[in-house]
Amino acid sequence: KLAADALRSGASDYFTKEEGFAHYERLLNSIFKHTEAHKHKLVSLHAETKIRENEKRLIEAHRIARLGSYSLDFENDTWSDSRVMQEILGIDDDYNHSLQGYLDLIHPEDKDRMLGYLQKLRVNEKDSFNGEYRIINFKTGEVGWIHDSARLVKNEDGKVIKMIGTIQDVTKEKKAQDELVEAKNTLENIFNSATPICITSKDYRIIKANDAY
């Protein structure tokens, strides 16, 4: 600062004076320190920006795959979830994140089965869970199917204390399966009707015929 003030006041011979060299050295050291500090700040800012970009890409990838994640803490009766999981369930941070709160989102016809699974998981030797069940979207009331895949975390005594996993919205796949089964049943009903029906090859050989044929 002293060197800068001297230069601004017109002392062009400031750095030629004996004491000026000491000021000059201090000035260079100060410039170097500020430059390095600014460089580190830019590197840190760039790293933070990359992390945020990667997080956004990961969230978008999970949103496309309809894949959410969660951590269920049995000891504290609470669970945390990802943004995509909240979208699948139709909830937000203010929703009741207790075990009962999650059970309330499960379809009534699947609730007892899932509660039984959870109770068994906490007392048996299994280290993971893999299953499908229906949920009711809290916001829309629509019924959906999810595939739940999780691993269990145990303490030193072997007691299950946490369940960490993912849920994937498989509603579309389930609907496609149901439609395929329904179409198959319809065709079978038609084929097994009183109307004579036969299936032939390209050269008109009978491959299959119903009882009425």
Side-chain angles (χ1 to χ4, degrees):
K1 184 178 185 302
L2 182 61
D5 291 342
L7 289 172
R8 279 195 293 269
S9 63
S12 58
D13 64 336
Y14 180 80
F15 290 121
T16 64
K17 298 176 182 178
E18 184 177 349
E19 65 273 15
F21 288 107
H23 295 311
Y24 180 65
E25 185 177 3
R26 288 197 296 272
L27 177 62
L28 288 179
N29 288 335
S30 177
I31 293 173
F32 177 77
K33 288 179 181 179
H34 281 81
T35 301
E36 284 298 305
H38 184 63
K39 178 181 177 181
H40 287 306
K41 187 179 293 185
L42 287 176
V43 171
S44 177
L45 181 61
H46 178 71
E48 291 177 3
T49 301
K50 292 294 292 183
I51 290 174
R52 285 195 294 269
E53 289 177 352
N54 289 336
E55 287 177 346
K56 289 181 179 179
R57 282 196 291 267
L58 182 61
I59 291 174
E60 188 59 28
H62 284 180
R63 183 173 285 116
I64 294 172
R66 299 292 287 165
L67 183 68
S69 59
Y70 68 90
S71 177
L72 173 59
D73 187 335
F74 288 110
E75 291 190 319
N76 296 312
D77 187 29
T78 184
W79 51 280
S80 58
D81 49 22
S82 67
R83 188 183 307 174
V84 178
M85 180 167 175
Q86 290 187 356
E87 293 174 2
I88 294 172
L89 301 177
I91 62 174
D92 54 26
D93 291 335
D94 295 329
Y95 183 78
N96 176 22
H97 279 65
S98 66
L99 179 57
Q100 184 58 51
Y102 188 76
L103 291 173
D104 289 341
L105 294 168
I106 298 177
H107 193 281
E109 295 180 7
D110 294 341
K111 187 176 298 184
D112 289 341
R113 176 169 60 89
M114 290 307 304
L115 182 58
Y117 281 157
L118 288 174
Q119 292 172 343
K120 289 179 180 179
L121 286 171
R122 298 183 66 179
V123 298
N124 64 18
E125 299 299 324
K126 290 186 176 181
D127 295 321
S128 62
F129 168 77
N130 201 339
E132 293 182 348
Y133 51 91
R134 288 167 292 179
I135 55 97
I136 299 178
N137 187 287
F138 184 72
K139 184 182 295 183
T140 66
E142 295 180 351
V143 176
W145 279 90
I146 62 171
H147 182 99
D148 193 334
S149 180
R151 67 177 180 86
L152 304 179
V153 179
K154 302 178 181 179
N155 61 16
E156 296 178 352
D157 299 325
K159 178 183 177 182
V160 176
I161 57 175
K162 285 185 178 182
M163 183 172 173
I164 301 174
T166 61
I167 66 166
Q168 185 171 22
D169 185 351
V170 293
T171 305
K172 291 182 179 180
E173 290 79 1
K174 278 291 185 179
K175 286 183 177 179
Q177 290 176 7
D178 291 342
E179 290 173 358
L180 184 61
V181 170
E182 184 178 352
K184 181 181 178 182
N185 291 336
T186 300
L187 289 175
E188 287 181 351
N189 290 333
I190 294 174
F191 187 80
N192 295 324
S193 65
T195 304
I197 298 175
C198 71
I199 301 175
T200 65
S201 63
K202 290 182 179 180
D203 55 357
Y204 303 105
R205 288 184 300 169
I206 296 177
I207 299 175
K208 189 174 182 180
N210 65 358
D211 294 338
Y213 184 78

